Amino acid sequence: MNSDTVISLSYGSLALFTSILHNVFLIYHVDTFVSIYKIDKASFWIGETVFLVWNSFNDPLLGWLSDKRQLNIHSQESSPTNTLQILTRRLHMLTLCGPLFSLSFLLFWFSWVHTSVQFVVCLCLYDSFLTIIDLQHSALLADMAITNEARTKLNSYCSIFNAIGSISVFLSYFVWKMDSMVSFQVLCAILAVFSSLGFLLCTRVIQKHLPKHIKHEDSLQSIQYGALAPQQQADFISQKSDLKSYIKQVTGHTNFMWFSCMNLVQVFHCHFNSNFFPLFLETLLAGTVSPAFASFLLGISFVAPHINNLYFLSLCRRYGVYKVIQFLFGVKFLLSVLMVCLGPNFSWLLCIFIASNRVFTEGTCKLLNLVISDLVDEDYVIHQRTQTVSALVFGTANFFSKPGQTLAPLIGTWLLAYNTGHDIFQQGNAMGSMKLNVNSMTQAEQSTYKQGVFAILVYVPIACALIQLAVWSRFNLRGKRLKWVKSLRTGAKFSTV
């Protein structure tokens, strides 16, 4: 097996060791604190607000700490850093933070301090290590591969291993019991150990095979710098790339800002679906499907996006990432409008819609790293850098989009209360359960409640799709401009826009 294949397999495996824990977190962390730890409404909102602030600022902060050497590479006190050194540093961060990420995941499922404090601490710790892993893993995609074909290949391996990681969804569903957490806690501990060992092994494998893989990229980088005119080289040496100038560059990067607006809505919709998917199943399909089938549907909703992504990536190679994402937004809108027209009484169609809504939304999310990698290339070209600042670009993109992760449960719980009158924090209402006890309601009340949940299910994706289609039409890093950026990124020549 050659080095490139080994690196691709190991790179994809890192996605497995993240997703096998993160899938469980997405489904159960809200329900755990609301239904089991009985967190009060004020503490929940305060915790989410603190998390909103930290969740937004830690991405650019950690990205800046990771890549500030590349930004300051022209200052007198800095020495040039080649691609191998950058990648080695990223792998070292993954080796260190992978086990810490697993430990922070475990802290959710054991009550060890006052609930309100645990909620804030767990969210902030978990997100910090998840952010470091996401930034470094995504930056490796942009740094190890330049062409669309190479990046889609690496992304394909991630999709395969992410699909394998979805097994944790099936396993967790069968051991999840609110009256006894022991089995669930044991499962989480096993998953955490498995993830930790995986990070340690795969990062070392990549680091071992990296020198052979990176020789060609280093030669390209020397061509790029050597192609500069003497005056341009002098301009490089005198350039001052501090935080203030980077912020100015980002805000002036038009395509980056349009992408960030679209991505904010996308992150919101992805987490909205993850947080409320079990509620949609239990409320709208109660009595129609068995618990076993509901478990199967829940697991499939996590597996299918990764399998579908393999097909979407083949379409990206043929038609480009922009057109595929635009198509997925259109499909999301049309399916939602169709469901509005049909109503909530067609149970099996509703079942298909609930699953497909999540599949298409998550499928879009899986493609966005390719777009950010292209933005890394454009940033490299238009700001005439000698090294990419991949982690910083990914971190800045997350800075603008991560608020959607916090807004999803906040807006979702508000919409649920507004449309159904059910406050999930209300004491005495199934002890703060996410699910309302419909058996105690009249037939008319049950119908009203079901209609309210159905309205949330269909109108949220319609609103998201309309906003995204409008914003995405303004993004022009596609076609001829993308080819021009790629040609400069691969060392054809260097010039300003």
Side-chain angles (χ1 to χ4, degrees), residues 264-325:
L264 171 64
V265 180
Q266 187 64 28
V267 169
F268 164 80
H269 195 200
C270 284
H271 284 83
F272 177 86
N273 283 340
S274 297
N275 293 155
F276 295 95
F277 190 86
L279 178 69
F280 294 144
L281 286 181
E282 294 171 351
T283 301
L284 299 174
L285 299 177
T288 303
V289 299
S290 65
F293 184 79
S295 170
F296 172 77
L297 194 62
L298 180 64
I300 285 296
S301 73
F302 279 83
V303 176
H306 305 298
I307 298 175
N308 264 4
N309 197 40
L310 297 173
Y311 174 66
F312 293 151
L313 288 169
S314 68
L315 293 179
C316 288
R317 286 189 284 269
R318 183 179 300 180
Y319 301 108
V321 182
Y322 176 87
K323 289 184 178 180
V324 174
I325 291 177

Side-chain angles (χ1 to χ4, degrees), residues 258-273 329 332 361 364-365 368 400-405 407-408 460-469 471:
W258 284 120
F259 169 80
S260 297
C261 293
M262 180 276 293
N263 197 25
L264 171 64
V265 180
Q266 187 64 28
V267 169
F268 164 80
H269 195 200
C270 284
H271 284 83
F272 177 86
N273 283 340
F329 290 156
K332 179 167 66 175
T361 303
T364 305
C365 285
L368 296 185
F400 291 107
S401 64
K402 277 292 185 72
Q405 183 176 340
L407 291 173
V460 167
I462 288 176
C464 291
L466 287 174
I467 295 171
Q468 289 174 306
L469 285 169
V471 172

